[in-house]
């Protein structure tokens, strides 16, 4: 026992310098990430402002019952899942296509296109919301002006539900296509050029080379990124769904996702029991899907897995 | 052979057209917004938003700069958050990233798990909000904007990837020379990882610049309003700019008629003033971002 302790002490001394280096980050992580994990108990309490978190009475699963019995639960879960799937499928296919096309161009042009396509990634959703209103504003927006010049009837964009699934998917691609294209393009230029040279000698054409060399080489990273995003499928894009839609109440049934719903419950209605149930539900299912996704990735490529 | 060349030329033209259209779809919204901001309010009432304004009218900008308190204050808050947050976060990230990249560090495994676990599970928005307001009491302070972005598992893992390329021999020779771990880190490791620090530091700086989520959750007053939050408030109503008594007073003093404040153009002008500088700086840094993303994606 004594030897063991002595041994531990020696090892500790050896690692002390490095451990000190980690302390600031460890403390921040404890405060910002681990402390809120315990805060999840609020979801099981009948939260009372004057009593505080610890002293509020326990409420069992009542908050969850209340949430799941409302029609909102199904609606926001469905919206979150459907939108994220659409973003994922549309975004991945367009970005892969763009990356393959980009590979056919000269370096100079690639740089120009990449720079421009990258801009939206570094603009906040709030600014994107501004850009969207200049097109979609009912009275003055460019879209309605074009429609009325062509002799059509103007559209009240911010209270017509039918268009929003398309608008949201379009905007999501608009914002992230540059970023994703860079990722896939980098993988393509990482492919050993001798494959292409050999194929050329065998008389393969451009399309054949893409089909038999580029795509199979891309397959692994596409699958990994795809599954990684599947793990985040319960995390709605708050910025897009809140600022992109101007938080318009008339659109909630088609635009509301878990994140926007929880935010409104917390900040606008002050309904803490409800909000906490929603966000506890989200982080629990989210965690499960991430773990499943990670498991699958581990089978494909152990190095790419999180754990 | 000639036929083939013709075909490939056609393909490359098609590709160019696709990318040009994509780029136009990205640029036009910005041009339109600039166009609105330099239109006269009257033209907008009659003709709507136009990419090329009928009459150029800079009164929205004049108004913004005649009473610049609000926007200058927002700039200062945002810059302060970037200047404090990004370097502080970068140093913390570099320190822990370096340590978990060291294969001989005894607690490497458990510490890596400690970091990665934060990517798997979170307490959710409500308990995060409660922690910040009821436990840390940082609402309406700069810390509410700085603390959340300081350390994130993603950048730590990215940093670990960069740092694990540093050969162990260098570290060992420094130790043989009698340097402590901390000295080795500051004198040897940090200078060696300048590219990594630049890339991740830039990402952090841009994240702080664009930060709105925490501002939206925790900032209620009129004092500490970062740029993005100012834009949120103005998206709802231009009052955010004109309800400030100081601003109103200045407008009146400069002889402006408050009843004819060009609200529509003023809103867009504010957006342009808020993002313009960043858009101008961005192309110079784009190279680093591209590098950062590709390295991150390859290393997981």
């Amino acid at each position: 026992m004594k030897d063991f302790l002595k041994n531990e002490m020696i090892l500790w001394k050896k690692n002390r310098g490095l451990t000190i280096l980690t302390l600031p980050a460890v403390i921040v992580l404890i405060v910002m990430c681990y402390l809120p994990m315990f805060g999840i108990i609020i979801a099981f309490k009948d939260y009372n402002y004057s009593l505080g978190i610890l002293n509020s009475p326990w409420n069992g699963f009542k908050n969850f019952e209340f949430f799941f019995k409302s029609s909102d639960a199904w609606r926001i879960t469905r919206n979150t899942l459907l939108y994220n799937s659409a973003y994922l499928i549309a975004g991945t296919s367009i970005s892969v296509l763009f990356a393959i096309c980009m590979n056919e161009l000269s370096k100079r042009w690639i740089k120009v296109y990449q720079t421009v396509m990258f801009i939206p990634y570094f603009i906040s959703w709030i600014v994107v919301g501004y850009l969207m209103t200049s097109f979609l504003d009912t009275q003055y927006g460019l879209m309605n002006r074009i429609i009325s010049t062509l002799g059509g009837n103007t559209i009240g964009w911010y209270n017509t539900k039918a268009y929003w699934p398309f608008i949201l998917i379009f905007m999501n691609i608009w914002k992230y296509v540059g970023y994703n294209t860079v990722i896939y393009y980098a993988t393509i230029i990482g492919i050993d050029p001798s494959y292409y040279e050999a194929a050329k000698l065998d008389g393969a054409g451009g399309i054949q080379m893409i089909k038999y060399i580029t795509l199979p080489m891309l397959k692994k990273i596409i699958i990994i990124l795809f599954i990684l995003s599947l793990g985040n499928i319960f995390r709605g894009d708050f910025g897009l769904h809140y600022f992109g839609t101007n938080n318009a109440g008339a659109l909630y049934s088609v635009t509301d996702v878990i994140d926007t719903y929880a935010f409104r419950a917390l900040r606008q209605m002050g309904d803490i029991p409800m909000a906490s149930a929603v966000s506890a539900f989200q982080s629990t299912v989210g965690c499960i899907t991430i773990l499943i996704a990670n498991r699958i990735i581990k089978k494909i490529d152990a190095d790419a897995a999180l754990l | 052979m000639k036929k083939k060349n013709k075909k490939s030329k056609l393909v490359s033209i098609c590709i160019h057209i696709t990318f040009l259209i994509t780029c136009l779809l990205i640029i036009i919204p910005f041009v339109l917004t600039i166009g609105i901001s330099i239109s006269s309010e009257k033209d907008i009432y009659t003709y709507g938003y136009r990419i090329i304004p009928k009459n150029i009218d800079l009164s929205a900008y004049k108004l913004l700069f005649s009473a610049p308190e609000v926007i200058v204050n927002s700039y200062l808050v945002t810059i302060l958050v970037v200047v404090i947050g990004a370097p502080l976060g970068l140093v913390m990230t570099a320190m822990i990233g370096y340590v978990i990249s060291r294969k001989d560090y005894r607690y490497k495994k458990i510490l890596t798990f400690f970091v990665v676990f934060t990517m798997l599970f979170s307490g959710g928005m409500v308990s995060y909000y409660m922690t910040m307001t009821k436990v840390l009491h940082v609402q309406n302070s700069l810390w509410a904007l700085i603390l959340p972005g300081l350390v994130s598992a993603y950048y730590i893992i990215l940093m670990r990837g960069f740092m694990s390329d540093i050969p162990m021999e260098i570290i060992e020779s420094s130790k043989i020379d009698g340097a402590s771990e901390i000295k080795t880190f500051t004198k040897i490791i940090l200078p060696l990882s300048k590219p990594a620090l630049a890339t991740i530091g830039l990402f952090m700086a841009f994240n702080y610049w664009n930060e709105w989520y925490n501002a939206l959750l925790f900032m209620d007053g009129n004092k500490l309003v970062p740029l993005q939050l100012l834009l949120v408030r103005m998206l709802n109503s231009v009052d955010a700019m004109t309800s400030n008594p100081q601003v109103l007073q200045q407008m009146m003093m400069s002889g402006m008629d408050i009843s004819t404040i060009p609200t529509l153009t003023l809103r867009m002008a504010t957006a342009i003033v808020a993002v313009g500088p960043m858009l101008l700086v961005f192309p110079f840094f784009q190279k680093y971002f591209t590098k950062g993303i590709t390295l991150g994606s390859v290393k997981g």
Side-chain angles (χ1 to χ4, degrees):
Chain A
M1 188 65 196
K2 221 177 176 182
D3 277 357
F4 173 77
L5 276 178
K6 212 172 161 189
N7 199 19
E8 270 310 290
M9 276 310 281
I10 292 167
L11 283 170
W12 162 248
K13 264 198 181 139
K14 231 174 134 190
N15 288 285
R16 193 173 53 191
L18 288 174
T19 308
I20 290 170
L21 284 175
T22 67
L23 280 182
V26 168
I27 291 168
V28 174
L29 284 177
I30 288 175
V31 172
M32 300 306 294
C33 299
Y34 283 89
L35 207 56
M37 285 182 200
F38 296 103
I40 216 161
I41 56 166
I42 301 169
F44 302 95
K45 291 208 162 197
D46 184 13
Y47 183 75
N48 185 322
Y49 270 104
S50 51
L51 293 176
I53 299 167
L54 290 176
N55 294 325
S56 289
W58 291 97
N59 205 10
F61 283 89
K62 279 248 172 64
N63 296 336
F64 292 93
E65 246 180 84
F66 194 64
F67 167 60
F68 284 115
K69 274 189 181 151
S70 71
S71 61
D72 300 333
W74 162 241
R75 179 175 56 96
I76 59 173
T77 311
R78 177 202 63 190
N79 282 354
T80 311
L81 290 177
L82 284 182
Y83 276 115
N84 281 345
S85 318
Y87 297 157
L88 189 54
I89 292 164
T92 307
S93 34
I94 291 179
S95 310
V96 171
L97 187 73
F98 273 19
I100 291 172
C101 288
M102 205 169 250
N103 196 32
E104 306 290 314
L105 302 175
S106 66
K107 273 259 158 11
R108 201 161 42 112
W109 282 107
I110 292 174
K111 218 186 146 200
V112 174
Y113 293 144
Q114 271 190 352
T115 307
V116 175
M117 284 165 62
F118 222 153
I119 294 173
Y121 184 75
F122 285 102
I123 297 295
S124 70
W125 277 119
I126 295 154
V127 175
V128 178
Y130 274 75
L131 302 180
M132 285 170 75
T133 52
S134 40
F135 280 89
L136 301 179
D137 189 88
T138 309
Q139 254 179 306
Y140 312 114
L142 191 66
M143 286 301 252
N144 275 353
R145 222 169 58 80
I146 293 171
I147 290 172
S148 62
T149 331
L150 296 176
N153 288 326
T154 57
I155 296 162
W157 295 97
Y158 288 101
N159 50 40
T160 314
K161 289 178 204 163
Y163 303 107
W164 280 90
F166 303 102
I167 297 174
L168 291 175
I169 292 168
F170 180 82
M171 288 318 293
N172 181 278
I173 294 170
W174 186 86
K175 196 160 191 296
Y176 296 118
V177 72
Y179 179 89
N180 290 324
T181 303
V182 167
I183 291 181
Y184 294 118
Y185 176 68
T187 316
I188 293 177
I189 54 173
I191 297 173
D192 190 343
S194 59
Y195 286 115
Y196 292 105
E197 278 154 25
K200 225 177 211 167
L201 281 180
D202 288 344
I207 301 282
Q208 274 173 315
M209 284 201 263
I210 289 169
K211 200 170 158 195
Y212 294 109
I213 301 174
T214 315
L215 277 180
M217 290 300 228
L218 275 178
K219 208 168 99 187
K220 203 159 104 178
I221 188 148
I222 293 175
I223 292 173
I224 287 171
L225 290 179
F226 193 84
I227 297 167
L228 266 182
S229 325
L230 270 186
N232 285 324
I233 203 153
F234 280 95
R235 289 193 188 149
D237 194 334
F238 180 82
L240 171 58
H241 288 258
Y242 193 82
F243 301 113
T245 63
N246 261 349
N247 191 21
L251 302 174
Y252 283 163
S253 67
V254 292
T255 61
D256 217 10
V257 286
I258 299 175
D259 299 73
T260 49
Y261 182 84
F263 178 81
R264 284 204 318 275
L266 175 71
R267 287 293 275 170
Q268 286 168 17
M269 295 179 281
D271 189 348
I272 287 178
M274 174 69 112
S276 60
V278 178
S279 64
F281 160 68
Q282 182 185 32
S283 52
T284 314
V285 239
C287 179
I288 295 167
T289 47
I290 292 173
L291 285 177
I292 294 171
N294 189 59
R295 251 260 160 81
I296 301 170
I297 290 176
K298 212 168 191 174
K299 277 200 179 136
I300 302 166
D301 178 7
D303 290 337
L306 265 174
L307 283 174
Chain B
M1 200 62 195
K2 237 181 184 174
K3 213 177 164 191
K4 223 176 189 179
N5 267 338
K6 230 181 190 172
K7 205 175 151 195
S8 72
K9 215 168 193 177
L10 194 75
V11 171
S12 113
I13 288 173
C14 285
I15 293 175
H16 273 294
I17 290 174
T18 317
F19 280 117
L20 282 176
I21 292 175
T22 313
C23 289
L24 278 180
L25 283 175
I26 287 166
I27 291 170
I28 287 175
F30 291 97
V31 178
L32 175 62
T33 310
I34 294 172
I36 298 168
S37 73
I38 57 171
S39 302
S40 88
E41 192 90 354
K42 260 191 201 141
D43 285 348
I44 289 178
Y45 288 135
T46 31
Y47 306 111
Y49 294 155
R50 293 170 58 102
I51 292 179
I52 302 155
K54 276 244 148 130
N55 300 295
I56 289 183
D57 181 348
L58 298 176
S59 56
Y61 288 96
K62 273 182 205 149
L63 187 64
L64 261 184
F65 291 115
S66 72
E69 263 79 14
V70 175
I71 193 133
V72 167
N73 183 49
S74 289
Y75 253 106
L76 286 179
V77 172
T78 302
I79 290 171
L80 207 59
V81 169
V82 173
V83 171
I84 298 173
L88 205 61
L90 185 61
V91 170
M92 290 185 184
T93 307
M95 290 196 296
I96 193 169
Y98 164 64
V99 174
I100 58 175
S101 82
R102 282 273 298 264
K103 288 186 185 69
D104 59 331
Y105 179 56
R106 185 145 190 266
Y107 313 105
K108 173 187 150 108
K109 256 200 174 144
I110 186 164
L111 201 61
T112 311
F113 180 80
F114 175 84
V115 170
V116 170
F117 188 73
T118 62
M119 283 167 111
L120 299 180
F121 188 67
S122 76
M125 188 191 62
V126 175
S127 58
Y128 170 64
Y129 180 80
M130 290 299 185
T131 312
M132 292 285 276
T133 56
K134 304 277 175 213
V135 182
L136 302 173
H137 297 283
V138 289
Q139 68 272 41
N140 293 321
S141 84
L142 273 185
W143 291 111
L145 306 176
I146 294 172
L147 270 180
L150 273 183
V151 179
S152 86
Y154 179 73
Y155 290 129
I156 295 177
I157 300 299
L158 202 60
M159 191 66 91
R160 179 190 69 173
F162 278 118
M163 300 268 194
S164 59
D165 289 345
I166 298 172
M168 195 60 203
E169 288 79 22
I170 295 180
I171 299 164
E172 260 156 17
S173 72
S174 150
K175 269 168 134 180
I176 289 167
D177 288 348
S180 68
E181 292 288 5
I182 295 167
K183 205 160 188 185
T184 310
F185 174 74
T186 51
K187 294 275 177 285
I188 313 267
I189 303 301
L190 279 187
L192 275 178
S193 25
K194 266 184 204 148
L197 294 175
T199 309
I200 295 178
L202 273 174
F203 265 103
M204 287 182 155
F206 268 77
N207 285 344
Y208 272 120
W209 183 276
N210 275 335
E211 147 63 41
W212 47 265
Y213 187 68
N214 294 295
L216 199 63
L217 278 175
F218 303 117
M219 306 310 256
D220 290 318
N222 276 326
K223 254 194 182 156
L224 293 170
V225 182
L227 278 176
Q228 301 295 331
L229 185 61
L230 178 71
L231 290 179
V232 174
R233 293 186 180 175
M234 288 197 63
L235 195 60
N236 298 329
S237 73
V238 196
D239 298 347
M241 183 63 76
T242 53
S243 67
N244 186 320
Q246 230 181 341
V247 173
L248 277 183
Q249 206 182 5
Q250 273 197 339
M251 283 179 186
M252 282 194 280
M253 288 214 306
S254 59
M256 227 166 292
D257 186 356
I258 293 168
S259 61
T260 60
I261 287 173
T263 51
L264 296 171
T265 54
L266 181 63
R267 181 182 294 172
M268 296 304 178
T270 315
I272 296 296
V273 171
V275 279
M278 204 189 75
L279 279 183
L280 291 180
V281 176
F282 164 73
F284 298 102
F285 292 123
Q286 194 249 356
K287 199 175 71 188
Y288 293 97
F289 287 122
T290 323
K291 219 165 80 190
I293 293 173
T294 43
L295 276 170
S297 73
V298 173
K299 294 223 160 128

